[in-house]
Structures are given as C-alpha cells and as structure tokens.
Amino acid sequence: SEVDAIYVLLSSPLLFTEDNSVIALVSAFDQVLDDEVYPILGDLGKPVIIGIDYPSNSQALNGCVSTNGSCLHYGSGDFSDQPIDFDLQTKIYNAAVLSFARHKWINGIIARGYNPTVVLRDQSSSLYGKPASDVLWFWFHYLQNRPS
C-alpha cells in the first residue's frame, strides 16, 4: 500500500533452447514471466513496469549482471571480448515486447542502459543508434494505436 507501482529489473538468462528465433525467445520470456515474476507480483494489485537489459553481444542470451549501471558482464564472464551481435539484441527486444504485450498485468517496458548522449556501436545494452531501437520505436507506435 506504500508504493504506486512495481519496477522489475529483468535480465534473466534466456538459454532454454538452442533456437534463438524470435518465437523461441518469446516462449523463453513467457516462461520467466509466468514462473518467476507473476507468482510474486500477481496478488499485489499494482501496475508493473519491466526494465530489460540485454547487450548487443553474441552472449546476450546468458542474461546480464549490471555493473555500475552497465551490462557488460554475465555471471562471471565478460562481454568485452565477445563479438558484437546487433541481430541477437534486436531479436531479444522484439521477443520481449511480444511477450510483454500478451501479459495484461504488465503496464510498461523500459530499455535499461540507454545512453542518449552518444551512439554506441559496441557490446553495451544501450539501444541508441542500434537496430533494436527501431524495433522498440515500431512497437511503441503500434501498441499505442491498438484498440483496448
């Protein structure tokens, strides 16, 4: 009763399958939301905002451990020596929006790690100037215009 909304930080591993298609990733997000997030929040009756953080790196399916606000590490590994993979990051964010839109108890999505001051073409999770940003732009406008 002392809060207006719940903000969930979601950077879980998505390694449930070797298939990294958007459809498989939607199922992975659904599983995390249904098995880990909803059971904790379902009865609170508060708006839920999900903040996701996945890097543009070939190891992005491993999830993210935030270090000083930067998603450059997963578990005990380091992303900095891994190949950049904008396509995988784009698939992850596309799947996240598709999954979240199906869960009516989710009221908002935030792309964490966004750096609006400079276009980063690196392994960071900042979407500014990366293809995943275009995916969020599309879905934002599409979902804003959908009928209730």
Side-chain angles (χ1 to χ4, degrees), residues 11 53 62-77 79:
S11 302
D53 196 0
N62 288 314
C64 172
V65 175
S66 183
T67 304
N68 294 327
S70 178
C71 177
L72 292 178
H73 298 10
Y74 63 93
S76 60
F79 283 145

Side-chain angles (χ1 to χ4, degrees), residues 53-60 71-72 79 82-90 92-93 120-127 130-132:
D53 196 0
Y54 290 91
S56 52
N57 183 279
S58 63
Q59 299 298 311
C71 177
L72 292 178
F79 283 145
Q82 299 295 321
I84 294 170
D85 193 338
F86 296 130
D87 184 53
L88 181 57
Q89 184 186 42
T90 300
I92 291 170
Y93 279 81
L120 298 173
R121 305 295 288 176
D122 63 359
Q123 298 94 338
S124 73
S125 56
S126 178
L127 300 184
K130 295 178 183 174

Side-chain angles (χ1 to χ4, degrees), residues 26-144:
V26 169
S27 294
F29 274 111
D30 286 345
Q31 185 175 348
V32 169
L33 293 170
D34 295 339
D35 296 348
E36 298 176 31
V37 179
Y38 187 76
I40 297 169
L41 304 176
D43 294 331
L44 296 179
K46 300 289 182 179
V48 175
I49 300 164
I50 307 282
I52 59 174
D53 196 0
Y54 290 91
S56 52
N57 183 279
S58 63
Q59 299 298 311
L61 293 177
N62 288 314
C64 172
V65 175
S66 183
T67 304
N68 294 327
S70 178
C71 177
L72 292 178
H73 298 10
Y74 63 93
S76 60
D78 183 358
F79 283 145
S80 62
D81 61 348
Q82 299 295 321
I84 294 170
D85 193 338
F86 296 130
D87 184 53
L88 181 57
Q89 184 186 42
T90 300
K91 286 180 184 179
I92 291 170
Y93 279 81
N94 193 26
V97 172
L98 289 168
S99 173
F100 297 172
R102 297 188 328 188
H103 292 83
K104 300 301 179 196
W105 53 271
I106 297 176
N107 302 94
I109 304 166
I110 294 176
R112 297 179 57 228
Y114 186 83
N115 183 345
T117 58
V118 64
V119 172
L120 298 173
R121 305 295 288 176
D122 63 359
Q123 298 94 338
S124 73
S125 56
S126 178
L127 300 184
Y128 186 44
K130 295 178 183 174
S133 178
D134 295 334
V135 167
L136 292 184
W137 178 90
F138 169 80
W139 283 121
F140 174 79
H141 292 283
Y142 179 82
L143 292 171
Q144 292 297 315

